[in-house]
Every structure is written in C-alpha cells, then in structure tokens.
Amino acid sequence: MMKHFSKVLFFFLFFMIFGAMKANAEIKPGLPKLYLNDQEISSELYITDKQVYLQGQSFTTLGAKFTTPVNNTQRIFIGNTEIRLDLPSGVASIYQMESSSFIPTAYAVINYQKVNQKLWFSVRDLAPFMGYHYQRISDVDLYRLTDGSQTITEQALYEINTTPPKPPTVPATGPKSDEGKKSSPNKTDKNATSAKKVVYLTFDDGPNQYTPEILRLLKKYNMKATFFMLYNGIHKHSELMEQIQNDGHGIGLHGVTHRKNLFYKNATSPLMEMDKANKALEDVLGTTTQLVRVPYGSKPYLTTDMYKQLVQADYKLWDWNVDSADSSKAYVSPKTIETRVITGLKTKKTPVVLMHDKECTVDSLEVILIWMSKNGYVSKPLTEDMTPLNWSK
C-alpha cells in the first residue's frame, strides 16, 4: 500500500513541478508553430478557438494532391483519403477509399474556413485521415502531428520553444567553505575524462566550402566526427579528404546523385551509387569504407531489396536519432540548430547527430561544441566494427 502511495506521490509531484515550470516559462517569439514529428512545418498558420488551421496548399508537404475545381467542387487526395470541398457552403466531405475497388469505407464531414481568399483546414480534424496523432502542447500555441517516429519528447519540444524561468537569487549568508583554496587542474581533468559521455557527430553532403571551418572547430575542441560524403565532393576536394583522414575522423559514403528519383530508381541503384563513391574514395585516398548513409535516411524510400543488397555488399548503413534540422531550409537559425542538438544530447543515451556541411551549421557548431566540452561530452568517429543504428532493421 505504501509502495503504491509513494509511486502516486512521485508522479503527482513531477506533474506539479513540470506544470509550475510551464506556468512561469516565458514564451519565445515565433509561435504559433506546427511540428510534423520533430520537424517544424514552415507554413503560415491560422489560429482560432485554440485550433490550428493550415493553409490548404500547405498540405502538399504531407502528401496531399489537389485537383482543379469543377462545378464549385474541389477534390483533394491524401493517400487513400479523398476530400471533397463544397466551395459555396464551406463543408468538406471526407471519404476513405479501398485502394483496390475505390469504394468508400469511411465517411466524415468537417468544416473548413476561407480567409483572405485562401482555404484553411483544421489540422486536428484532418490528422486521423492522414495517419497522424494530433496534440496541442501545454497552454501555448504549439502543435504537433506524430506518427510514432518522433525522437523529441513533448517536454523537450516545449522547452525548445520556451525560456525556462530564472531561479531566484539567494544571497550568501557567509563565506564559502572552500574560499581561498586552489583547485587541482590535474584532478579535475582526470574526473572529467572518466565521466565523458560519448556522442557521434555526423556531417552529410560534403566535402565542400564549409568543411574546412567544420574541421577547424572540431580540432579546436578535440572532437571527432564522421563525414558521409558525395562522389563529386570526394573527387573535387582531395586536400580536404586527406585532412579528414589525417585528423582521425570517420569516413563514410553518401552516394552520387542525392536525387530521390535517381538514387532510389530501382533495386540496384543505391548499391551502384555507393560502389561508385567508394571507387572515388579509393582513387583519392587509396582506401575504401563500409560506412554508408543513404540520402534522406533509410525510410521511407529504401526498400527491403535495396537494404539487403547494401548489407550483402558488407556496407554498414547508418541513420541517426538526433536531427539538427539544419537541412529543413536553405538557412536555418543557428539557435534552432543549437537547441535541437543539445536537447537531443540530453535525451538520447547514445546520440548519433545528423548535421550537414552548411553555412548555418558552421554558425551553430561552436556553441554546440562548447556546451559539449563543459558538460562532459566527447564526440567519436563511427567505426566499421560498430553495430549500425538504422531504421531498416
């Protein structure tokens, strides 16, 4: 009985404390926001009655296909779901169809809004038909669609978008017990080394003009990383390739084209691209690698046959569990990258961080490395004898 009571008391106190944090936190500018799993959807939002509305054409990012309106009826297709808009009435009829017979198996009616000559749909109403769970996070205009593949917790996402309250200042009541004592650098260094937490920083799409600064910062803070590189960059930047190797970083392949329609063209195309990139690596450095990362990760484009061929060729396929989101648009706010990476490092037991050889990544990297150094983290390269983290297993 007491054990059960203690457990109830623990969760009660946890939610009381977390609730108090939320109540006092300062909301960062830029809300409202809508996330798809861990990625912010960079589209205009419309909020009314604590519901978030997404502009119709923005649903194309979620796989929606629009047809040309005919007789005041607009049809939208999302997978096996068809939405028919009666434009004069503002009512949308939703049909879920069997893919084999195109016979409706479910039917629903939702409302939509027309504001400033644009059509707006309730994300909450449409989420179930798109296969997503909808949630409104706390009392802020922060919303999320999830399908089970998210890696950032609700609390962490909340913290990314809010500023925690400052702790109260407690005046000193007397001199510190260790006042006047000198610390021992050797002792501190030894303790810090023994408590190091391992991180695997990875960089995709290089080498390019941003790689030298990434290498400089990694060397400055004594961190190692793994570079998943493209065929053209390997051939074009032989000096950078030598520096990456000499600095002790991991070397991996990212293919040739980085184009979905070409890389995933058929069952053999991923293997052919990796083999071609490996040949370039051998030409430049006289060595090959088993480490690979496919463009956009191994889901949803990599089929089982493609995956099997790569594994049978002894390639080690790596994905990630911390996404910096530095590739979500041309230039991502360095603060966003810093917050996402640091939050991921805190929440993952063995973080494998996805970053890219990009300007915004360079602008955020030093802050991340300083935080890692101060908080007992060290980055190591991926090696061929490690069991790969990938989503295709």
Side-chain angles (χ1 to χ4, degrees):
M1 183 71 178
M2 284 298 295
K3 185 177 181 181
H4 176 72
F5 175 77
S6 299
K7 186 179 293 185
V8 172
L9 180 62
F10 169 80
F11 283 107
F12 173 76
L13 291 173
F14 172 81
F15 286 112
M16 285 289 289
I17 294 170
F18 185 45
M21 285 174 58
K22 290 189 174 185
N24 296 320
E26 176 187 347
I27 307 304
K28 291 182 180 178
L31 294 174
K33 287 183 180 179
L34 174 65
Y35 281 80
L36 175 61
N37 291 316
D38 300 336
Q39 299 276 358
E40 181 185 346
I41 297 178
S42 55
S43 300
E44 186 180 359
L45 303 177
Y46 169 61
I47 307 293
T48 180
D49 297 327
K50 295 183 180 180
Q51 278 203 61
V52 59
Y53 285 77
L54 187 62
Q55 202 273 317
Q57 290 293 336
S58 296
F59 278 94
T60 57
T61 62
L62 302 175
K65 296 180 181 179
F66 284 70
T67 63
T68 303
V70 177
N71 297 328
N72 287 323
T73 299
Q74 168 84 64
R75 302 175 75 188
I76 307 171
F77 295 91
I78 305 174
N80 65 338
T81 298
E82 178 186 339
I83 306 172
R84 297 178 192 171
L85 310 182
D86 181 22
L87 297 176
S89 69
V91 175
S93 301
I94 300 181
Y95 301 85
Q96 285 197 296
M97 318 290 284
E98 283 188 358
S99 57
S100 57
S101 60
F102 294 98
I103 299 175
T105 58
Y107 173 77
V109 175
I110 65 168
N111 294 317
Y112 64 91
Q113 300 202 20
K114 191 172 183 179
V115 181
N116 298 329
Q117 302 302 311
K118 294 180 180 179
L119 298 176
W120 300 82
F121 296 91
S122 165
V123 177
R124 182 181 65 186
D125 290 345
L126 280 183
F129 296 96
M130 296 184 293
Y132 293 104
H133 170 70
Y134 169 85
Q135 62 181 145
R136 180 171 183 262
I137 299 178
S138 186
D139 55 348
V140 300
D141 285 331
L142 185 59
Y143 306 84
R144 192 186 204 185
L145 295 174
T146 57
D147 60 8
S149 64
Q150 68 274 14
T151 61
I152 299 178
T153 64
E154 177 184 341
Q155 180 179 349
L157 193 65
Y158 175 86
E159 291 174 353
I160 289 173
N161 289 279
T162 59
T163 302
K166 295 181 180 179
T169 302
V170 180
T173 57
K176 296 180 180 179
S177 59
D178 59 350
E179 189 172 346
K181 294 181 181 179
K182 292 183 179 181
S183 61
S184 170
N186 292 334
K187 186 176 181 180
T188 303
D189 290 344
K190 183 178 180 180
N191 291 339
T193 302
S194 62
K196 290 291 185 184
K197 290 161 279 191
V198 177
V199 176
Y200 296 96
L201 299 177
T202 67
F203 295 87
D204 289 6
D205 297 356
N208 56 32
Q209 68 269 33
Y210 303 111
T211 308
E213 182 61 10
I214 292 173
L215 292 172
R216 185 189 72 81
L217 290 171
L218 290 171
K219 177 174 279 189
K220 178 179 178 181
Y221 294 95
N222 195 28
M223 300 286 182
K224 304 299 181 184
T226 302
F227 291 83
F228 290 98
M229 295 171 286
L230 292 166
Y231 172 87
N232 287 340
I234 294 172
H235 263 306
K236 186 177 180 180
H237 299 285
S238 58
E239 291 183 1
L240 286 178
M241 294 297 303
E242 291 177 2
Q243 185 178 349
I244 290 170
Q245 184 183 54
N246 293 336
D247 285 355
H249 299 296
I251 293 178
L253 307 173
H254 203 38
V256 179
T257 62
H258 208 289
R259 293 172 58 184
K260 283 183 283 190
N261 61 327
L262 295 178
F263 188 92
Y264 300 101
K265 183 178 180 180
N266 54 52
T268 60
S269 53
L271 177 59
M272 291 176 65
E273 287 211 10
M274 292 305 180
D275 282 346
K276 185 173 181 179
N278 224 354
K279 182 62 170 62
L281 180 64
E282 187 175 22
D283 291 342
V284 172
L285 293 182
T287 187
T288 58
T289 182
Q290 294 175 299
L291 306 178
V292 299
R293 173 175 287 158
V294 297
Y296 314 106
S298 62
K299 285 188 178 180
Y301 306 110
L302 193 75
T303 66
T304 301
D305 286 343
M306 295 173 182
Y307 172 72
K308 286 181 178 178
Q309 289 200 37
L310 289 170
V311 172
Q312 288 170 359
D314 290 330
Y315 284 119
K316 312 293 185 181
L317 177 59
W318 281 88
D319 287 312
W320 58 90
N321 56 18
V322 178
D323 187 352
S324 69
D326 60 354
S327 64
S328 58
K329 52 186 176 181
Y331 188 90
V332 179
S333 164
K335 184 63 178 177
T336 298
I337 299 171
E338 295 157 13
T339 303
R340 288 180 63 95
V341 172
I342 291 172
T343 300
L345 299 186
K346 292 177 180 178
T347 56
K348 293 296 179 183
K349 184 178 179 180
T350 307
V352 179
V353 184
L354 171 67
M355 291 188 282
H356 294 78
D357 295 44
K358 292 185 61 179
E359 181 182 6
C360 58
T361 311
V362 169
D363 293 343
S364 64
L365 185 56
E366 186 157 26
V367 171
I368 294 169
L369 297 178
I370 290 173
W371 184 91
M372 288 173 58
S373 298
K374 288 183 176 180
N375 288 275
Y377 288 82
V378 61
S379 180
K380 294 185 177 182
L382 300 173
T383 59
E384 295 179 351
D385 60 344
M386 295 173 62
T387 300
L389 181 158
N390 68 65
W391 312 322
S392 293
K393 290 183 177 179

